Amino acid sequence: MQLFTGSRPGCHWQCLIGPADAATWTRFVDHMIALAEQVQPGDVVLDLWFDAGMPSAADRARFTSTFSDSPVTQRVRAHAVATNSSISRGILTAINWVIKRPFDERIFATPDAALAWLATMAPDLNTDAVQADLDSAIPGFRALRW
């Protein structure tokens, strides 16, 4: 599995492209924990998972324990996840019915839909620039069939 990351003012993004493996999910969680120090008030976060599956129970627990008491959650304006997995979308949607976060979070089937929603949450976000970042940083990104 491959992990790509990037940031621009107001937006932090991560992209996982499968097939899934435990080592990359662990790197993803490590990246998200480190990212917490970079998030500024009002920033948005975009996660893109293509054929990536879900992190292990141990990685989920480590991530949850790190962020449950972290002040970073108060700085995030919105979080969008786009995944081509209908199972992952269903699981994440169900989790969001139960867990209330201090920021808005939505799950999408495509990156375009996720970016469009983030633009409504952060009108100052340059979604064209984020899309250009994705296109240049991730080989074959536009060819992925979400």
Side-chain angles (χ1 to χ4, degrees):
M1 182 162 51
Q2 297 176 296
L3 171 62
F4 302 92
T5 64
S7 292
R8 68 173 29 260
C11 181
H12 307 276
W13 59 264
Q14 298 70 230
C15 180
L16 289 165
I17 299 176
D21 67 50
T24 307
W25 273 112
T26 298
R27 281 188 19 243
F28 172 80
V29 171
D30 290 344
H31 168 76
M32 294 301 289
I33 290 169
L35 180 65
E37 299 302 318
Q38 300 170 18
V39 173
Q40 299 299 310
D43 281 359
V44 298
V45 178
L46 172 64
D47 285 316
L48 306 170
W49 302 349
F50 187 86
D51 289 347
M54 297 287 286
S56 70
D59 280 334
R60 287 192 309 270
R62 186 165 60 96
F63 180 80
T64 300
S65 67
T66 299
F67 281 92
S68 62
D69 297 323
S70 172
V72 72
T73 60
Q74 302 299 322
R75 296 193 301 248
V76 174
R77 182 182 306 182
H79 177 225
V81 177
T83 177
N84 66 321
S85 168
S86 59
I87 293 171
S88 293
R89 287 193 307 272
I91 290 169
L92 292 169
T93 298
I95 289 169
N96 282 342
W97 289 341
V98 177
I99 296 174
K100 297 301 176 204
R101 292 169 173 55
F103 50 83
D104 287 314
E105 181 174 72
R106 299 266 172 90
I107 316 305
F108 299 92
T110 68
D112 290 342
L115 280 169
W117 178 73
L118 286 175
T120 68
M121 300 303 295
D124 52 333
L125 178 64
N126 184 340
T127 57
D128 290 337
V130 174
Q131 185 64 61
D133 287 352
L134 297 171
D135 292 341
S136 68
I138 305 167
F141 182 73
R142 280 289 172 183
L144 296 175
R145 295 186 179 261
W146 292 85

